[in-house]
Amino acid sequence: MDLYSGHINRLIDELSGLPGIGSKSAQRLAFHLVNLPQDKVKRLVKVIMDAKENVRYCKECFTLTDSEICPVCANAKRDHSTIMVVENTRDLAAYEKTGKYEGIYHVLHGAISPMLGIGPGDIKLKELIARLEGDVSEVIIATNSSLEGETTAMYIGKLIKPTGIKVSRIASGVPVGGDLEYIDEVTLLRALEGRVEM
Ligand code: ZN
């Protein structure tokens, strides 16, 4: 498309590569950005760079955090023997919002997907297994109810079962294919409370 300047086109290209941004939104955002005052654009760029440079994985649960250990793992009041396995930091945030879960987490950063060529070695799975050497009484698998999430849950269940550690799967009250972050807190709590041992 040569309707716009090369710079605008490049900006639209970059923006449309972001998740959830279609070409129309990308155009709207691009024009919005070039019309912003210089200092606002500078601030936005700086915030993005700061986040990129300072956010890292928690050494224990692998969620994204500003410090070596995230606030959940650093909290001695949490039940460190119960680990909830989630696909990403957004899912962790969804459960944290309920304010009712007292255990800690493990963030996989993805799910097994043979279709997309994502195998067990591509997510934080061996890191989870390493954590089981500690004092763990239950692993709650809270991956999404998508095909990938279910495949991952089954795979983890099979890995953990022989260790004798209790392993459970959140109830299927979570809509199939539903992203955990879009599900309301009541549904999340029901799924957690109704978890079944694998
Ligand atoms: Zn952590």
Side-chain angles (χ1 to χ4, degrees):
M1 172 195 348
D2 288 310
L3 295 171
Y4 310 135
S5 85
H7 288 291
I8 292 271
N9 278 336
R10 274 203 292 284
L11 184 54
I12 292 171
D13 261 3
E14 287 297 326
L15 291 169
S16 58
L18 298 173
I21 308 288
S23 65
K24 273 198 182 144
S25 301
Q27 287 182 40
R28 206 175 316 129
L29 282 171
F31 286 112
H32 175 76
L33 289 170
V34 293
N35 283 317
L36 282 178
Q38 188 99 347
D39 61 320
K40 279 208 168 173
V41 176
K42 278 194 176 142
R43 197 166 63 214
L44 177 62
V45 170
K46 185 174 164 2
V47 167
I48 294 172
M49 285 308 293
D50 282 352
K52 182 63 200 161
E53 278 160 16
N54 294 300
V55 174
R56 57 189 123 169
Y57 291 144
C58 167
K59 263 171 84 176
E60 291 184 11
C61 73
F62 297 89
T63 193
L64 296 171
T65 180
D66 289 346
S67 43
E68 213 162 289
I69 304 285
C70 78
V72 174
C73 290
N75 186 348
K77 288 197 189 117
R78 304 288 292 237
D79 169 13
H80 282 246
S81 73
T82 303
I83 299 179
M84 185 195 287
V85 180
V86 292
E87 290 184 23
N88 54 53
T89 295
R90 286 170 294 142
D91 293 344
L92 179 157
Y95 271 103
E96 276 305 281
K97 257 201 253 160
T98 69
K100 295 273 165 53
Y101 174 66
E102 283 167 358
I104 53 172
Y105 298 90
H106 185 86
V107 182
L108 293 171
H109 292 283
I112 298 169
S113 171
M115 289 247 294
L116 297 173
I118 301 168
D122 299 313
I123 58 176
K124 302 272 178 217
L125 202 52
K126 56 176 193 308
E127 290 84 351
L128 171 66
I129 302 305
R131 292 180 73 187
L132 303 182
E133 313 250 306
D135 186 16
V136 178
S137 61
E138 182 178 0
V139 175
I140 302 167
I141 305 176
T143 51
N144 288 334
S145 53
S146 59
L147 178 62
E148 292 77 16
E150 292 298 347
T151 306
T152 309
M154 263 193 294
Y155 189 90
I156 297 174
K158 272 191 201 143
L159 271 184
I160 298 180
K161 203 95 203 171
T163 65
I165 295 169
K166 183 179 172 191
V167 54
S168 56
R169 174 81 173 115
I170 55 163
S172 50
V174 178
V176 172
D179 247 313
L180 283 185
E181 61 170 322
Y182 295 121
I183 292 159
D184 68 85
E185 290 164 30
V186 177
T187 309
L188 273 187
L189 280 179
R190 214 179 285 144
L192 179 60
E193 277 157 13
R195 66 186 184 272
V196 282
E197 206 166 332
M198 289 180 85

